[in-house]
Amino acid sequence: MGKKELIESLEREGGEKVHSLWEEAEKEAEALRAESRERLKRLGEELDASRAQRKAESESRALGEASGRVRDLTLDAESEAEARLREAAVSLLEGLRGKGYARTFRALAREVPEFAWERVTVNPRDAETARELFPRAEVATDQGITGGLRAEAREGRILVDNTFEKRLERAWDGLLPALMEDLKNRL
């Protein structure tokens, strides 16, 4: 084999090797590009998932805050409504002093146990009847009592409060749910 043939043979082999190396490099580059595309796709999916999670968390926080605010506003409105209903109920107590009140006062006085009462406190309009019913007790008056009486003994250590106001206070927890329900139904 001559020099020329040797050079041609080397060129052919070199060309085939270069071609082979080039093909390998192309395959490797294509594999790397595919791997990069796959990584970019996964990163995009992860980013989308992360955004969706942050959005869901943000929405959840916002809904929680809104729910809390609604709850606070509802509680405030219910408290205000309860206070107004209580004021209205107290203001209606005066109406119980109408016709037949003398009989009501005597019935309330009979509910008080027999005892050596030292002091009986009543509305000023009931003082005379209280003196008649409790002749041994000091009769005091209080404009804050709409009706009924408060009896005390042993320097105030024994107390029976049978006033309209106290009876309303005792009944209030039972009355309030029905009043609130009625109020809600009217709105």
PDB file of all heavy atoms in Angstrom, residues 127-143:
ATOM      1  N   ALA A 127     -95.572  51.504  98.849  1.00  0.00           N
ATOM      2  CA  ALA A 127     -95.137  51.610 100.247  1.00  0.00           C
ATOM      3  C   ALA A 127     -96.274  51.352 101.232  1.00  0.00           C
ATOM      4  O   ALA A 127     -96.102  50.621 102.222  1.00  0.00           O
ATOM      5  CB  ALA A 127     -94.503  52.973 100.495  1.00  0.00           C
ATOM      6  N   GLU A 128     -97.446  51.928 100.972  1.00  0.00           N
ATOM      7  CA  GLU A 128     -98.562  51.770 101.911  1.00  0.00           C
ATOM      8  C   GLU A 128     -98.981  50.299 102.030  1.00  0.00           C
ATOM      9  O   GLU A 128     -99.167  49.775 103.131  1.00  0.00           O
ATOM     10  CB  GLU A 128     -99.749  52.630 101.453  1.00  0.00           C
ATOM     11  CG  GLU A 128    -100.880  52.652 102.449  1.00  0.00           C
ATOM     12  CD  GLU A 128    -101.998  53.582 101.987  1.00  0.00           C
ATOM     13  OE1 GLU A 128    -101.700  54.684 101.471  1.00  0.00           O
ATOM     14  OE2 GLU A 128    -103.164  53.178 102.138  1.00  0.00           O
ATOM     15  N   THR A 129     -99.094  49.618 100.884  1.00  0.00           N
ATOM     16  CA  THR A 129     -99.483  48.202 100.901  1.00  0.00           C
ATOM     17  C   THR A 129     -98.395  47.372 101.580  1.00  0.00           C
ATOM     18  O   THR A 129     -98.687  46.437 102.334  1.00  0.00           O
ATOM     19  CB  THR A 129     -99.723  47.686  99.460  1.00  0.00           C
ATOM     20  OG1 THR A 129    -100.654  48.546  98.813  1.00  0.00           O
ATOM     21  CG2 THR A 129    -100.248  46.274  99.457  1.00  0.00           C
ATOM     22  N   ALA A 130     -97.136  47.700 101.357  1.00  0.00           N
ATOM     23  CA  ALA A 130     -96.028  46.960 101.981  1.00  0.00           C
ATOM     24  C   ALA A 130     -96.082  47.116 103.501  1.00  0.00           C
ATOM     25  O   ALA A 130     -95.846  46.150 104.245  1.00  0.00           O
ATOM     26  CB  ALA A 130     -94.692  47.451 101.440  1.00  0.00           C
ATOM     27  N   ARG A 131     -96.404  48.319 104.006  1.00  0.00           N
ATOM     28  CA  ARG A 131     -96.508  48.537 105.460  1.00  0.00           C
ATOM     29  C   ARG A 131     -97.650  47.683 106.044  1.00  0.00           C
ATOM     30  O   ARG A 131     -97.534  47.144 107.145  1.00  0.00           O
ATOM     31  CB  ARG A 131     -96.743  50.018 105.759  1.00  0.00           C
ATOM     32  CG  ARG A 131     -95.505  50.848 105.632  1.00  0.00           C
ATOM     33  CD  ARG A 131     -95.729  52.306 106.091  1.00  0.00           C
ATOM     34  NE  ARG A 131     -94.590  53.114 105.677  1.00  0.00           N
ATOM     35  CZ  ARG A 131     -94.521  53.801 104.546  1.00  0.00           C
ATOM     36  NH1 ARG A 131     -95.539  53.810 103.709  1.00  0.00           N
ATOM     37  NH2 ARG A 131     -93.446  54.494 104.248  1.00  0.00           N
ATOM     38  N   GLU A 132     -98.709  47.553 105.280  1.00  0.00           N
ATOM     39  CA  GLU A 132     -99.849  46.740 105.718  1.00  0.00           C
ATOM     40  C   GLU A 132     -99.466  45.250 105.769  1.00  0.00           C
ATOM     41  O   GLU A 132     -99.795  44.553 106.723  1.00  0.00           O
ATOM     42  CB  GLU A 132    -101.014  46.956 104.742  1.00  0.00           C
ATOM     43  CG  GLU A 132    -102.229  46.108 104.991  1.00  0.00           C
ATOM     44  CD  GLU A 132    -103.217  46.247 103.824  1.00  0.00           C
ATOM     45  OE1 GLU A 132    -103.408  47.364 103.299  1.00  0.00           O
ATOM     46  OE2 GLU A 132    -103.780  45.199 103.441  1.00  0.00           O
ATOM     47  N   LEU A 133     -98.734  44.781 104.733  1.00  0.00           N
ATOM     48  CA  LEU A 133     -98.390  43.356 104.643  1.00  0.00           C
ATOM     49  C   LEU A 133     -97.199  42.972 105.517  1.00  0.00           C
ATOM     50  O   LEU A 133     -97.075  41.812 105.928  1.00  0.00           O
ATOM     51  CB  LEU A 133     -98.105  42.975 103.187  1.00  0.00           C
ATOM     52  CG  LEU A 133     -99.277  43.116 102.220  1.00  0.00           C
ATOM     53  CD1 LEU A 133     -98.834  42.865 100.783  1.00  0.00           C
ATOM     54  CD2 LEU A 133    -100.390  42.141 102.601  1.00  0.00           C
ATOM     55  N   PHE A 134     -96.299  43.925 105.795  1.00  0.00           N
ATOM     56  CA  PHE A 134     -95.100  43.662 106.598  1.00  0.00           C
ATOM     57  C   PHE A 134     -95.027  44.704 107.722  1.00  0.00           C
ATOM     58  O   PHE A 134     -94.153  45.571 107.737  1.00  0.00           O
ATOM     59  CB  PHE A 134     -93.841  43.739 105.715  1.00  0.00           C
ATOM     60  CG  PHE A 134     -93.821  42.724 104.603  1.00  0.00           C
ATOM     61  CD1 PHE A 134     -94.312  43.049 103.338  1.00  0.00           C
ATOM     62  CD2 PHE A 134     -93.340  41.444 104.821  1.00  0.00           C
ATOM     63  CE1 PHE A 134     -94.308  42.125 102.315  1.00  0.00           C
ATOM     64  CE2 PHE A 134     -93.331  40.508 103.797  1.00  0.00           C
ATOM     65  CZ  PHE A 134     -93.821  40.834 102.536  1.00  0.00           C
ATOM     66  N   PRO A 135     -95.940  44.635 108.689  1.00  0.00           N
ATOM     67  CA  PRO A 135     -96.038  45.683 109.704  1.00  0.00           C
ATOM     68  C   PRO A 135     -94.807  45.792 110.610  1.00  0.00           C
ATOM     69  O   PRO A 135     -94.548  46.866 111.153  1.00  0.00           O
ATOM     70  CB  PRO A 135     -97.284  45.296 110.509  1.00  0.00           C
ATOM     71  CG  PRO A 135     -97.488  43.847 110.251  1.00  0.00           C
ATOM     72  CD  PRO A 135     -96.926  43.579 108.890  1.00  0.00           C
ATOM     73  N   ARG A 136     -94.028  44.757 110.773  1.00  0.00           N
ATOM     74  CA  ARG A 136     -92.863  44.802 111.661  1.00  0.00           C
ATOM     75  C   ARG A 136     -91.590  45.231 110.944  1.00  0.00           C
ATOM     76  O   ARG A 136     -90.559  45.436 111.571  1.00  0.00           O
ATOM     77  CB  ARG A 136     -92.650  43.436 112.300  1.00  0.00           C
ATOM     78  CG  ARG A 136     -93.758  43.085 113.259  1.00  0.00           C
ATOM     79  CD  ARG A 136     -93.418  41.829 114.045  1.00  0.00           C
ATOM     80  NE  ARG A 136     -94.550  41.470 114.874  1.00  0.00           N
ATOM     81  CZ  ARG A 136     -95.383  40.492 114.598  1.00  0.00           C
ATOM     82  NH1 ARG A 136     -95.224  39.762 113.536  1.00  0.00           N
ATOM     83  NH2 ARG A 136     -96.398  40.248 115.422  1.00  0.00           N
ATOM     84  N   ALA A 137     -91.632  45.329 109.626  1.00  0.00           N
ATOM     85  CA  ALA A 137     -90.432  45.654 108.839  1.00  0.00           C
ATOM     86  C   ALA A 137     -90.383  47.142 108.511  1.00  0.00           C
ATOM     87  O   ALA A 137     -91.423  47.806 108.382  1.00  0.00           O
ATOM     88  CB  ALA A 137     -90.428  44.860 107.545  1.00  0.00           C
ATOM     89  N   GLU A 138     -89.178  47.621 108.386  1.00  0.00           N
ATOM     90  CA  GLU A 138     -88.982  48.981 107.864  1.00  0.00           C
ATOM     91  C   GLU A 138     -89.301  48.917 106.376  1.00  0.00           C
ATOM     92  O   GLU A 138     -88.841  48.019 105.669  1.00  0.00           O
ATOM     93  CB  GLU A 138     -87.524  49.405 108.067  1.00  0.00           C
ATOM     94  CG  GLU A 138     -87.162  50.682 107.352  1.00  0.00           C
ATOM     95  CD  GLU A 138     -85.646  50.902 107.250  1.00  0.00           C
ATOM     96  OE1 GLU A 138     -84.876  50.166 107.885  1.00  0.00           O
ATOM     97  OE2 GLU A 138     -85.267  51.812 106.498  1.00  0.00           O
ATOM     98  N   VAL A 139     -90.066  49.845 105.888  1.00  0.00           N
ATOM     99  CA  VAL A 139     -90.407  49.879 104.456  1.00  0.00           C
ATOM    100  C   VAL A 139     -89.603  50.997 103.813  1.00  0.00           C
ATOM    101  O   VAL A 139     -89.711  52.160 104.188  1.00  0.00           O
ATOM    102  CB  VAL A 139     -91.925  50.078 104.233  1.00  0.00           C
ATOM    103  CG1 VAL A 139     -92.222  50.234 102.746  1.00  0.00           C
ATOM    104  CG2 VAL A 139     -92.704  48.899 104.818  1.00  0.00           C
ATOM    105  N   ALA A 140     -88.777  50.594 102.854  1.00  0.00           N
ATOM    106  CA  ALA A 140     -87.965  51.554 102.095  1.00  0.00           C
ATOM    107  C   ALA A 140     -88.485  51.587 100.665  1.00  0.00           C
ATOM    108  O   ALA A 140     -89.136  50.644 100.201  1.00  0.00           O
ATOM    109  CB  ALA A 140     -86.503  51.125 102.114  1.00  0.00           C
ATOM    110  N   THR A 141     -88.215  52.682  99.980  1.00  0.00           N
ATOM    111  CA  THR A 141     -88.667  52.790  98.587  1.00  0.00           C
ATOM    112  C   THR A 141     -87.468  52.938  97.657  1.00  0.00           C
ATOM    113  O   THR A 141     -86.412  53.443  98.053  1.00  0.00           O
ATOM    114  CB  THR A 141     -89.620  53.985  98.407  1.00  0.00           C
ATOM    115  OG1 THR A 141     -88.932  55.173  98.745  1.00  0.00           O
ATOM    116  CG2 THR A 141     -90.868  53.820  99.246  1.00  0.00           C
ATOM    117  N   ASP A 142     -87.689  52.474  96.439  1.00  0.00           N
ATOM    118  CA  ASP A 142     -86.630  52.527  95.413  1.00  0.00           C
ATOM    119  C   ASP A 142     -87.323  52.694  94.065  1.00  0.00           C
ATOM    120  O   ASP A 142     -88.096  51.816  93.642  1.00  0.00           O
ATOM    121  CB  ASP A 142     -85.816  51.231  95.447  1.00  0.00           C
ATOM    122  CG  ASP A 142     -84.686  51.190  94.420  1.00  0.00           C
ATOM    123  OD1 ASP A 142     -84.625  52.066  93.536  1.00  0.00           O
ATOM    124  OD2 ASP A 142     -83.870  50.248  94.502  1.00  0.00           O
ATOM    125  N   GLN A 143     -87.047  53.822  93.398  1.00  0.00           N
ATOM    126  CA  GLN A 143     -87.642  54.079  92.069  1.00  0.00           C
ATOM    127  C   GLN A 143     -87.195  53.034  91.048  1.00  0.00           C
ATOM    128  O   GLN A 143     -87.854  52.842  90.036  1.00  0.00           O
ATOM    129  CB  GLN A 143     -87.232  55.477  91.569  1.00  0.00           C
ATOM    130  CG  GLN A 143     -87.902  56.611  92.274  1.00  0.00           C
ATOM    131  CD  GLN A 143     -89.365  56.749  91.872  1.00  0.00           C
ATOM    132  OE1 GLN A 143     -89.893  56.052  91.015  1.00  0.00           O
ATOM    133  NE2 GLN A 143     -90.035  57.659  92.545  1.00  0.00           N
TER     134      GLN A 143
END
